[in-house]
Amino acid sequence: MNEQHESGSFLVEMRGISKSFPGVQASDGIDLRLRYGEVLALLGENGAGKSTLMNILSGLYRPDSGEILVGGRHVTISGPRDAAALGIGMVHQNFMLVDTMTVTENVVLGIRDLAFIPDMAEIKRGILELSERYNLKVEPDAFIWQLSVGEQQRVEILKLLYRNAEILILDEPTAVLTPQEAQELNHVVKRMKGEGKSAVFITHKMEEVMSFSDRVMVLRKGKVVAGKDTKDTNPRDLAKLMVGREVLFQLDRKPFAPGSTVLELRDVCARDERGLPALSGVSFMIRAGEILGIAGVAGNGQRELSEVITGLRKASSGSISINCVDFTGKSPLEIIRSGVSHIPQDRIAVGAVGDMSVANNIAMKGYRSKPLSFAGMLRPRKILELARKMIDSFRISTPSPETRVKFLSGGNIQKTILAREIESCEALLIAVYPSRGLDIGATEAVRKELIAQRESGRAVLLISEDIDELVTTCDTIAVFFEGRVMGIMPAAGAEIEEIGLLMAGVKPGTEASA
Amino acid sequence: MIGLISSILTITLRAGTSLVYATIGEIFTERGGILNLGLEGIMLMGAVTSFAVSYYTHSLPLALLAAVLVGAALSAIHAFLTITMRANQVVSGLSITLFGSGFASFLGQRLGPATNNHRLVGLVGAKFESFRIPVLSDIPIVQSIVSQDILTWGIYLLIPLAWFYLYRTRAGLSLRAVGENPQTADAMGVDVFRLKYAYTISGGMLVALGGAHLSLSYTPGWSENITGGRGWIVIALVIFSMWNPARAIWGALLFGGINAVQFRLQASGTNIPAGFLNMLPYIMTIVVLVLITWWEALSKKVGAPAALGQAYMREDK
Ligand SMILES: Nc1ncnc2c1ncn2[C@@H]1O[C@H](COP(=O)(O)OP(=O)(O)OP(=O)(O)O)[C@@H](O)[C@H]1O
Ligand SMILES: [Mg+2]
């Protein structure tokens, strides 16, 4: 009797869930309990098994063993359909949207009791009503390929709302969003919680954990290492639980001693895809041994800036020189040859070959020359050696260097690309949002690595939306707004408020926004 | 003059009918992400079995049924190999074409009566007759459209229905999602595996029906290679139609039309070599299709279903 009441008080109970993939035990006897109306934050390093566990709950993966109870009753979830019938809805780590279909079509795709000939006008009305109620602006007739990342995430949330899911699983929904968009999304989650829905929220961002989760569960290597009420914990403890060691939020660095100019931009202008000005008269320089940070709300020309420097986009005017040689209008290969490395924004799509091994992905840039190849022949042993070193120093969690990249967890794919680009850097490293989607330990490792590059005399351009990251990592900060440099200042002693104002387009001393 | 146009239009529609069935069949298959290059073989098998059945039973419904069953069986093999066994779709499809053409030709030499040396060639079976509709059948042009047999009338219905099904129904939505992005379709609760089977098999049935049209209506009887490579033309037509059933008619009319004009020319006794004239429909169709498709692909964001040709397994990323 008592026993029954116990289990009845949990909305979801997963008991002893295990799941292995070739070479990895992704879940190892995990117990998870979700109470009615609570938000459970699920934390863990990249590759800890968070997505795997939630994919099991949403029916995409079958567990090797273990049982699941929903509302106190044993259930078998043999596919997403069963999960949907139980009121479980998931926003996946990578978007689950059909690009060539409209927002409306995506929202209703797969709904079981949809009429055979759906009344699209009616459905659209429903979507608009939801989007108004939750303040999630969408255009129901737009195609997914026309939407920005933030808009696509809104569609994902609308899918859950439209289906009336009661158990929400959100797998790093804010990892790809700008801080503003993330805020919006967090409001929606709070709102849904207020309506009595329950959620499992996966994130690497501590503010999110602290601000609206009720409980926290930490996974490490497929096992539960802690479960606590949020109010009984703090970010530092959680970080330690996740990584298994103390995480330093402070970074050691030598004093700033810049050398000769490595990159210089003079009055660079460029246009975006629609032909609108994306960069207007951008000028700055980075010297050897300097990390220059670009602060700014995403979409203010950062991506175009990195593309112009790497030769992927043409500058419409102005000049770019690397080590005092003019590189304006040169091809990406010529620019790579001059010693420039690039960690792109959309690294999963353009940065890695999913069907190739981790080792080959790491070697992809250096394979043309010694030591990875000799007389046109690849040297597998050297490649493996390099790969092992990288896997170690970037803590890439992979069964082996020979595992194909597509089998890694989201964060570990990123680390693989980071490892390659940082390793192959000779003169200038351009890092665009390098810590997006990375766990705390990996974020720390990346920042350390950027500083190591600086210490060995290279120039680093760091584009980030995270002001804390910029202030702790950079020597100099340039603030971007609408494709213009609003101001350049030393990072040491920079006022976060001032940077924030410049990012919003407000020059100090003036009142109106530019 | 009107009479000439009218007769060309009549032949055009007749010649295009089998292409419409096969094109729409293949469109449905490919929308589910499965490329079936077996259609030349399936059309031939559909043609030979339906003719044999029509010869022995004199029943056209039974003949069509036979074709549909054969089409289902052959495409079920393709479905099993590519969906369950995850074999390469091109290899599996080509094997089906090789097997289908060889086996159809074999049957053509074995299924006939002893009096005809066991051959089917030269025999006459039941065939579809054109309707005669009072008044309408006497108006030129209109007459070309209405004075057709039931199979051609079938495409008048099939094209809008197929379009409506694909773009306006719940089932069509799921089908499009499966071919574009099976991961997403699966995660949203669409039964990807079942749909792929269903549309590969039903698509194959339509393709076989296209074959049956040849031996029961267009050129009644059986002859070696009765399709004349139409299976391959259909592959091009599917691309030209941008995987949209409503557009299938234009490609079919193009090929049918050039065929009809070419017939007329041959009948009028020009001194252009017959071989060249026979080649004309194929060359012209390919050239026009390439040009139009190229031009359109540049101007719009439409194309092949994104996951066409790829195998899908849930836990394998
Ligand atoms: N379909 C799959 N096939 C093979 N291995 C897989 C598959 N899915 C996950 N894995 C492995 O299981 C482990 C856990 O991966 P998972 O995606 O659950 O990590 P995660 O905690 O979500 O990490 P991240 O924060 O990077 O998203 C990883 O080692 C990964 O390589
Ligand atoms: Mg994950």
Side-chain angles (χ1 to χ4, degrees), chain A residues 45-47 49-52 93 171-172 202 204 409-411:
Chain A
E45 284 184 284
N46 296 127
K50 308 179 293 293
S51 300
T52 303
Q93 190 166 5
D171 193 350
E172 297 191 35
I202 301 179
H204 292 297
S409 78

Side-chain angles (χ1 to χ4, degrees), chain A residues 19 59-62 78 80-81 96-98 100 105 108-110 114-118 145 159 163 406 408, chain B residues 164-165 168-171 173-174 176-177 180-181 183-190 301 314-317:
Chain A
K19 171 82 188 170
L60 266 175
Y61 291 173
R62 297 296 300 270
S78 53
R81 228 163 219 264
M96 288 289 188
L97 296 168
V98 182
T100 52
E105 288 176 323
V108 298
L109 175 65
L114 192 66
F116 184 72
I117 300 170
W145 60 265
K159 287 201 307 199
R163 273 151 227 254
K406 68 177 178 186
L408 299 192
Chain B
F164 189 84
Y165 184 86
R168 290 289 181 269
T169 69
R170 181 188 65 210
L173 182 67
S174 302
R176 283 185 287 140
E180 276 305 322
N181 190 336
Q183 284 82 5
T184 295
D186 191 13
M188 298 323 294
V190 174
K301 199 182 161 81
R314 192 176 269 171
E315 295 198 2
D316 187 279
K317 295 192 186 174

Side-chain angles (χ1 to χ4, degrees), chain B residues 255-272:
Chain B
F255 182 82
I258 301 168
N259 238 326
V261 170
Q262 174 259 129
F263 272 145
R264 272 275 147 186
L265 278 174
Q266 288 203 12
S268 70
T270 63
N271 45 14
I272 305 171

Side-chain angles (χ1 to χ4, degrees), chain A residues 62-268:
Chain A
R62 297 296 300 270
D64 300 336
S65 63
E67 50 185 2
I68 300 174
L69 289 84
V70 175
R73 257 176 312 164
H74 279 268
V75 292
T76 324
I77 302 178
S78 53
R81 228 163 219 264
D82 295 345
L86 291 167
I88 299 172
M90 177 161 175
V91 171
H92 292 263
Q93 190 166 5
N94 47 335
F95 291 124
M96 288 289 188
L97 296 168
V98 182
D99 269 3
T100 52
M101 300 198 327
T102 64
V103 169
T104 309
E105 288 176 323
N106 270 282
V107 168
V108 298
L109 175 65
I111 293 181
R112 229 191 208 165
D113 46 11
L114 192 66
F116 184 72
I117 300 170
D119 179 353
M120 281 302 185
E122 172 77 42
I123 294 169
K124 251 178 249 171
R125 234 171 294 134
I127 293 175
L128 284 174
E129 199 189 302
L130 280 177
S131 88
E132 200 149 307
R133 204 165 76 199
Y134 289 91
N135 198 17
L136 290 163
K137 261 180 254 121
V138 288
E139 169 56 56
D141 287 323
F143 287 94
I144 298 298
W145 60 265
Q146 298 171 315
L147 304 184
S148 72
V149 170
E151 290 169 315
Q152 294 189 11
Q153 195 63 282
R154 278 181 225 153
V155 180
E156 287 282 16
I157 302 285
L158 279 172
K159 287 201 307 199
L160 296 189
L161 292 171
Y162 195 86
R163 273 151 227 254
N164 248 320
E166 287 298 320
I167 304 167
L168 313 166
I169 307 172
L170 305 161
D171 193 350
E172 297 191 35
T174 56
V176 291
L177 302 183
T178 65
Q180 281 74 9
E181 291 168 332
Q183 281 260 301
E184 262 176 49
L185 189 136
N186 292 339
H187 279 303
V188 177
V189 174
K190 282 183 202 163
R191 181 94 201 253
M192 295 198 280
K193 182 181 156 191
E195 288 169 7
K197 300 184 188 237
S198 319
V200 180
F201 195 98
I202 301 179
T203 183
H204 292 297
K205 297 180 185 167
M206 288 302 157
E207 323 86 78
E208 295 180 342
V209 176
M210 301 318 289
S211 85
F212 59 80
S213 74
D214 301 297
R215 271 189 321 126
V216 195
M217 189 170 126
V218 183
L219 294 185
R220 192 182 333 140
K221 300 204 165 92
K223 287 201 174 80
V224 180
V225 293
K228 292 187 171 179
D229 284 345
T230 308
K231 59 180 186 331
D232 299 336
T233 180
N234 62 59
R236 193 167 281 269
D237 284 348
L238 291 174
K240 196 170 160 191
L241 283 168
M242 277 165 63
V243 188
R245 65 181 162 87
E246 195 76 45
V247 179
L248 301 170
F249 286 94
Q250 213 66 51
L251 298 161
D252 292 334
R253 61 198 305 157
K254 290 192 194 131
F256 180 40
S260 58
T261 302
V262 174
L263 175 74
E264 184 164 16
L265 271 72
R266 254 191 244 117
D267 277 325
V268 171

